[in-house]
Structures are given as structure tokens and as C-alpha cells.
Amino acid sequence: MNLKTRKQFGQHWLRSEKALERIVAAAELQKCDRILEIGPGTGILTRCLLPEVESVVAVEIDRDLCTNLVKKLGKVDNFLLLQGDFLTLDLETNLTAFPKFQNPHKVVANIPYNITGPILEKLLGTIAQPVSKAFELIVLLVQKEVAERLYAKPASRAFGALSVRVQYLAECEFIADVPAKAFYPPPKVDSAVVRLRPRQVQPEAIEPNKLDTLVKLGFGSKRKMLRNNLKSVIDIPDLTQLLEQLNINPQVRAEDLSVEQWVTLCNTLGMIWKPLDPPDPT
Ligand code: SAH
């Protein structure tokens, strides 16, 4: 195995059978599955996936690792390797010549932790602009601290803007803890496996752009009451009254509202929401 690692690519090779088993089980693999893997590295996870599914397309940025992967797995006919940066790569265009790998509907990956946020955004989109074709299921090994924020419940320590943004787009579940020693070289942080199932939350935001802004401003200053964080866009007495109508304590903080409550609040703001950009008078 090639153990040389490049720090800038967040390379830590998973070497725990137990962790691999948990990831694979969480993916609920079926023979008809088309999988997308981000950062296959030495191919340890890829090898577990290949015999179970129809196809695996993997995107790896590191040329040397790609050369190795081609040597090892190049002849496996349900494996396709794309060399490039997952964040900028246009998957659909790259797959036009490979029908068997098109439209992967599950993602299974031990991702580079330094780009977790951008990867999540590419896989899910944003509140204002969800991806047009959502994945059915996404299983990721991520930094424990990020994992905790993804599946956090309202009013818990880890619940923040990221929790609302991601949970608006997907149901998030904790699967398993993975200690730092499960990797070589061990990262400085512990990890966890999470499973995301993209879905349309109910109720839906009527104006997703507004919800995006509301969440951003609402979480602006930690420990402040929501109504203080939002005072530039909603007058405090107006918001107090609306929160009371919605049976929410007017002294609530951003981290106490569930995703459904954020949406309901956004959908019922009506005229009390003062737009940030006043309409052009011309
Ligand atoms: N899946 C492997 C490796 C995980 S380390 C394992 O479990 O052992 C993260 C991997 O992502 C590395 O192989 C790294 O080269 C790759 N990587 C880092 N940035 C990337 C990017 N922007 N696009 C695609 N792959 C990337």
C-alpha cells in the first residue's frame, strides 16, 4: 500500500475493518446501486463497495494515487476513476461517455475534512438553491465535531446554522464513532460516520432566499436572543408578537428553534420583514 500522504489533500488512510463495515452497512447497498465516491485514496473503501453494486465512479485529486488506483482497479469493469477536484468537476459532462456510471444515486465516502462544508454544499445545494437532482442517500465519514452539528437536535449544544441548513435539505443520522487511531496517519480529531437522506422538509419555505437570510442573521451573534439578532430586519415588538402567536417563547435563541419552526416563522413573517435592499425607486 502507498502510505505516503499529502497534507494539503487531507489524506488519512482508513485502516479499520470495523469502520469500513459500518460505512458499507449504512449505505444499504443493492446490486442496482450506482455509487459516487469522493477521494478514494488507496481504494480501501472502493474495494468494499465494488462487489456489492452496479458501479462506482470515484473522483480523486491526487495524480499519484490515481496512477496506483488504475494499476490496482483499472481492470474492474464496474469501476471508473475521474482525476480532478470534486468541487469544480462537472460530473454529468464527465460521465456522458459512460452510461453505466451516469446519475449515481448514492454517495459513500471518507472525505477530506478540510473541504467538508463545500462538499456538503455540492452534494445538497443550499436552502436557496437545492441541487436539482438530489441523491437518495449519502454516507460520509467526517470530523466528529462536524458530524455532531449535522445530526444535532434543537436546543442541544451542537445545534447551529449548519444544522438548520443541512437538516432543511436532508434527514441526518449518526451511524458510528470512528477514533483517530482507525487512520494512518491518525488525524488530530476523532471522526464519525453520518448518513444523510435528502428530502423535502415540511412545511416547505415559500421564499427559500428569505429563509437563508433569516437563518444567517438569526445565528449572527451567539447567546443573543433571536429578536435581537434580527432587529435590523424585523422590529422587536413585531417579532415578539409573531413568536407569541406561533407559541414560541419570544426570548428564544436561534439554536432553540427546530427546522420546522424556522420555516414556519419565515413563511408567516409577511409585512413585518423589512427587506434588506429597498426596491429601486426608478
Ligand atoms: N477514502 C480513502 C482516503 C481518504 S483521505 C480512505 O478511506 O482511506 C481523503 C482523500 O480525498 C485523499 O485521497 C485525497 O487525495 C482526496 N481529495 C482531497 N481533496 C480532494 C478533492 N478536492 N477532490 C477529490 N479528492 C480529493
Side-chain angles (χ1 to χ4, degrees):
M1 184 162 70
N2 174 15
L3 291 179
K4 193 181 72 184
T5 55
R6 291 199 166 96
K7 239 195 165 140
Q8 83 267 31
F9 292 149
Q11 295 176 347
H12 297 275
W13 312 138
L14 189 59
R15 53 173 192 174
S16 151
E17 280 300 324
K18 204 167 131 200
L20 284 165
E21 276 166 23
R22 298 304 294 268
I23 296 171
V24 171
E28 300 170 349
L29 298 179
Q30 293 183 332
K31 265 290 167 212
C32 58
D33 281 343
R34 295 179 179 199
I35 310 286
L36 166 66
E37 187 185 358
I38 304 153
T42 59
I44 188 158
L45 175 60
T46 325
R47 279 170 190 275
C48 299
L49 300 171
L50 283 167
E52 309 294 328
V53 299
E54 183 181 347
S55 63
V56 177
V57 53
V59 183
E60 173 57 61
I61 200 168
D62 186 318
R63 279 176 199 279
D64 294 338
L65 289 174
C66 286
T67 309
N68 268 333
L69 281 167
V70 170
K71 272 190 209 147
K72 282 198 267 187
L73 297 172
K75 290 208 173 69
V76 179
D77 69 358
N78 65 342
F79 176 61
L80 179 71
L81 179 64
L82 300 174
Q83 197 254 311
D85 178 350
F86 173 70
L87 296 178
T88 54
L89 181 112
D90 178 347
L91 195 62
E92 205 169 318
T93 309
N94 274 277
L95 293 177
T96 24
F98 306 99
K100 188 170 161 166
F101 299 88
Q102 281 163 10
N103 302 315
H105 55 268
K106 289 184 181 173
V107 180
V108 187
N110 166 17
I111 59 173
Y113 295 173
N114 51 338
I115 52 168
T116 303
I119 289 179
L120 284 171
E121 191 166 324
K122 181 143 183 188
L123 295 176
L124 298 168
T126 60
I127 292 179
Q129 199 163 17
V131 290
S132 53
K133 260 187 260 157
F135 290 99
E136 187 183 306
L137 192 135
I138 302 171
V139 177
L140 300 176
L141 183 52
V142 298
Q143 189 176 332
K144 171 97 178 132
E145 200 198 320
V146 175
E148 283 171 349
R149 288 159 64 192
L150 295 180
Y151 57 77
K153 296 264 184 293
S156 68
R157 187 185 50 84
F159 195 79
L162 180 72
S163 321
V164 178
R165 285 180 200 290
V166 172
Q167 290 175 21
Y168 179 76
L169 299 165
E171 182 197 315
C172 302
E173 276 172 275
F174 164 80
I175 300 292
D177 279 318
V178 178
K181 67 175 193 309
F183 301 86
Y184 180 85
K188 290 200 181 72
V189 292
D190 284 327
S191 301
V193 182
V194 289
R195 178 164 58 198
L196 278 56
R197 287 182 207 272
R199 48 97 205 253
Q200 180 59 65
V201 83
Q202 292 302 334
E204 219 174 305
I206 298 164
E207 292 172 272
N209 273 315
K210 195 185 201 177
L211 179 61
D212 218 4
T213 311
L214 191 69
V215 170
K216 187 159 116 215
L217 297 173
F219 280 97
S221 190
K222 269 242 153 191
R223 284 184 292 274
K224 266 197 194 172
M225 279 184 241
L226 180 68
R227 60 187 185 192
N228 288 328
N229 277 338
L230 292 178
K231 66 175 184 230
S232 64
V233 281
I234 310 170
D235 288 332
I236 289 184
D238 289 343
L239 186 56
T240 305
Q241 199 186 0
L242 178 59
L243 289 169
E244 276 168 354
Q245 273 168 23
L246 296 173
N247 281 324
I248 299 171
N249 179 347
Q251 302 194 357
V252 76
R253 292 170 213 278
E255 56 268 35
D256 298 323
L257 291 183
S258 68
V259 175
E260 291 74 14
Q261 285 176 317
W262 276 104
V263 177
T264 304
L265 177 63
C266 184
N267 287 351
T268 47
L269 283 176
M271 299 301 283
I272 68 167
W273 173 259
K274 297 182 295 180
L276 291 172
D277 302 309
D280 190 343
T282 55

